[in-house]
């Protein structure tokens, strides 16, 4: 700078250029929620995680010095769903939030974060087994190498090692050594056979079979001892009633008319031999019983729980008791008279009369074709009945004193009656 008549002067200006003001904000918001903070108002924010130098959210402001300032927002939007893949060792416990898991599986756990955001964690958890078993079958005389060690005896062998994810692992060898020599004892029924391995054997003796087993890859030598079971015979006893066919002991509807013996071969079970048995069948004829009763007109007679008042022939089927239970036929011949003393009759003579107990008397009269002779007591009950064989008719002595009636019945139904007094 120059002034007239004054020496030159030099001015030095110190100019300060203020640096641009820049600041960063780190914040969190729940998914599907707007973000509001100061000048920030985001209705549908997106996450800027992981944080980077070039954040998508930035604004320019005026600083106190009047310069522009830049504010960068790093926003983390907490997701509603999170998928987790993890692995633990058997026996350990996996924990997420307040949830604990100990088995392999997929779990859906809801956790509320420190910001109050609710998140559903889908946990894909793998639990590493602590035991790994290998099952092996070998032939006798061979060996199997397991974890660098040979084995040739049947048994279970554990080996401790480290598995996936560094978990402790027990490897187990389950070894079966097949003995190629096998002895089989078999039996078969008399006249039969038995199937062994792939061969039918029907004779007593010792047999040797050599067969390759594709299942185990070994040749097996079978020694077979075969014996025969003799057939067993037995007797069984049964009966059949007259008029019926016999069914029983594997016999069905066999017609029997007399005592019979039938031989039967019976298969008792798949694992047992046939048995031979003789069925002795007793033929039981139907039993018959006949009863003749005389009652007065107006009276009734009860027979086998049935009551009759009219003359006639009646039959009832009963069941016998004892060793053979079969039907028996009971027959009733009922005679109804108007009264013992009033029966229409012709004159007959009973001599001697009266008679002493036990003394034989004789019946005379003009009658023909007498079919039966009946002795009735004073109550009309028949105490004796027989078919006459002589004339005059002999009546054996009645042992008990009293008033009796001698009644003769002809073949055509005529009745003759006379009193008999036994003193």
């Amino acid at each position: 700078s120059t002034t007239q008549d004054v020496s030159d002067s030099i001015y030095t200006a110190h100019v300060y250029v203020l640096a641009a003001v820049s600041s960063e904000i780190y914040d969190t918001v729940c998914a599907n929620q707007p973000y509001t903070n100061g000048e920030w108002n985001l209705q549908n924010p997106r996450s800027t995680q992981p944080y980077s130098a070039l954040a998508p959210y930035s604004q320019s402001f005026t600083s106190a010095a009047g310069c522009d300032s830049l504010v960068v927002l790093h926003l983390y939007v907490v997701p509603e769903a999170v998928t987790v893949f993890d692995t633990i060792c058997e026996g350990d416990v996996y924990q997420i939030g307040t949830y604990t898991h100990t088995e392999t599986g997929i779990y859906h756990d809801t956790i509320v974060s420190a910001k109050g955001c609710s998140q559903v964690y889908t946990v894909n958890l793998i639990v590493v087994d602590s035991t790994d078993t290998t099952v092996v079958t070998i032939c006798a005389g061979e060996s199997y190498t397991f974890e660098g060690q040979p084995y040739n005896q049947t048994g279970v062998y554990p080996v401790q090692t480290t598995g996936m994810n560094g978990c402790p692992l027990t490897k187990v060898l389950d070894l079966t050594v097949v003995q190629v020599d096998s002895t089989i004892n078999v039996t078969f029924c008399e006249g039969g056979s038995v199937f062994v391995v792939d061969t039918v054997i029907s004779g007593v003796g010792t047999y040797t079979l050599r067969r390759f087993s594709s299942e185990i890859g070994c040749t097996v030598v079978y020694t077979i001892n075969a014996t025969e079971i003799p057939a067993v015979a037995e007797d069984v006893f049964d009966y059949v009633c007259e008029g019926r066919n016999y069914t029983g002991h594997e016999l069905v509807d066999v017609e029997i008319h007399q005592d019979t013996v039938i031989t039967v071969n019976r298969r008792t079970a798949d694992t047992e031999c046939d048995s031979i048995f003789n069925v002795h069948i007793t033929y039981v004829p139907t039993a018959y019983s006949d009863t003749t009763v005389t009652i007065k007109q107006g009276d009734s007679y009860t027979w086998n729980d049935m009551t009759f008042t009219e003359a006639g022939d009646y039959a009832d089927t009963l069941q016998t008791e004892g060793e053979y239970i079969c039907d028996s036929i009971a027959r009733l011949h009922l005679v109804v008279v108007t009264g013992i003393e009033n029966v229409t009759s012709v004159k007959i003579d009973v001599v001697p009369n009266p008679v002493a107990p036990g003394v034989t008397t004789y019946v005379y009269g003009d009658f023909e074709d007498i079919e039966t002779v009946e002795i009735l007591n004073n109550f009309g009950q028949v105490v004796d009945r027989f078919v006459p064989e002589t004339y005059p008719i002999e009546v054996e002595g009645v042992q008990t004193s009293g008033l009796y009636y001698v009644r003769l019945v002809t073949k055509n139904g005529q009745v003759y009656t006379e009193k008999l007094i036994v003193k």
Side-chain angles (χ1 to χ4, degrees), residues 72 171 188 221 401:
V72 179
K171 288 190 175 182
F188 56 91
V221 179
S401 299

Side-chain angles (χ1 to χ4, degrees), residues 84-94 100-109 122-131 164-165 167:
V84 177
F85 295 88
D86 214 336
T87 303
I88 63 172
C89 302
E90 185 177 5
D92 292 345
V93 177
Y94 180 85
T100 58
H101 305 293
T102 58
E103 296 181 357
T104 296
I106 299 175
Y107 303 93
H108 302 281
D109 302 327
T122 299
V123 180
N124 296 268
L125 183 63
I126 297 176
V127 179
V128 179
D129 292 335
S130 62
T131 303
M164 185 176 66
N165 245 38
C167 296

Side-chain angles (χ1 to χ4, degrees), residues 31-335:
N32 299 320
Q33 291 184 7
Y35 177 77
T36 301
N37 184 7
E39 297 296 329
W40 301 96
N41 185 9
L42 303 175
Q43 295 301 313
N44 188 22
R46 63 184 182 278
S47 180
T48 62
Q49 286 278 48
Y51 301 130
S52 63
L54 299 176
Y57 299 119
S58 62
Q59 287 195 43
S60 297
F61 298 93
T62 301
S63 67
C67 300
D68 290 341
S69 66
L70 180 66
V71 179
V72 179
L73 171 65
H74 297 273
L75 186 63
Y76 173 59
V77 180
V78 179
E80 291 181 308
V82 179
T83 300
V84 177
F85 295 88
D86 214 336
T87 303
I88 63 172
C89 302
E90 185 177 5
D92 292 345
V93 177
Y94 180 85
Q95 184 165 0
I96 179 169
T98 59
Y99 300 93
T100 58
H101 305 293
T102 58
E103 296 181 357
T104 296
I106 299 175
Y107 303 93
H108 302 281
D109 302 327
T110 300
I111 299 175
V112 178
S113 68
K115 289 289 186 177
C117 300
S118 179
Q119 293 179 280
V120 177
Y121 278 78
T122 299
V123 180
N124 296 268
L125 183 63
I126 297 176
V127 179
V128 179
D129 292 335
S130 62
T131 303
D132 180 20
T133 300
T134 302
V135 180
V136 176
T137 301
I138 62 174
C139 304
E142 299 178 352
S143 65
Y144 181 80
T145 300
F146 182 70
E147 294 295 311
Q149 180 70 32
Y151 299 91
N152 58 14
Q153 298 292 326
T154 296
V156 178
Y157 304 95
V159 177
Q160 303 298 327
T161 183
T162 300
M164 185 176 66
N165 245 38
C167 296
L169 175 66
T170 301
K171 288 190 175 182
V172 178
L173 171 64
D174 186 352
L175 180 64
T176 300
V177 179
V178 178
Q179 300 299 323
V180 294
D181 294 333
S182 177
T183 300
I184 304 175
N185 298 316
V186 296
T187 58
F188 56 91
C189 301
E190 180 179 347
S193 61
V194 62
F195 188 81
V196 183
V197 185
D198 58 0
T199 303
V200 176
I201 296 177
S202 59
V204 175
T206 299
Y207 302 85
T208 300
L209 300 177
R210 297 179 180 272
R211 297 292 185 269
F212 177 79
S213 173
S214 58
E215 182 179 355
I216 61 175
C218 302
T219 297
V220 182
V221 179
Y222 299 96
T223 300
I224 303 171
N225 300 313
T227 57
E228 185 180 66
I229 301 175
V232 177
E234 60 177 317
D235 293 307
V236 296
F237 298 87
D238 210 341
Y239 70 94
V240 64
C241 301
E242 179 183 356
R244 298 182 185 177
N245 290 343
Y246 179 78
T247 296
H249 296 286
E250 300 183 15
L251 299 174
V252 179
D253 273 343
V254 179
E255 214 174 296
I256 303 292
H257 299 288
Q258 60 185 1
D259 293 349
T260 305
V261 179
I262 301 177
T263 299
V264 178
N265 293 328
R266 179 174 59 190
R267 181 75 172 179
T268 55
D270 289 341
T271 56
E272 299 177 3
C273 296
D274 292 346
S275 61
I276 300 173
F277 60 99
N278 302 312
V279 184
H280 298 260
I281 305 172
T282 299
Y283 177 76
V284 181
T286 302
Y288 293 89
S289 63
D290 293 291
T291 301
T292 301
V293 175
T294 301
I295 63 174
K296 296 178 182 180
Q297 188 173 18
D299 291 346
S300 63
Y301 180 73
T302 300
W303 178 72
N304 292 344
D305 295 329
M306 296 180 289
T307 301
F308 303 95
T309 59
E310 297 182 1
D313 292 318
Y314 304 95
D316 191 15
T317 300
L318 306 176
Q319 197 172 70
T320 59
E321 297 180 356
E323 182 180 2
Y324 306 119
I325 301 176
C326 294
D327 290 343
S328 64
I329 307 299
R331 295 180 293 200
L332 171 65
H333 176 65
L334 183 64
V335 178

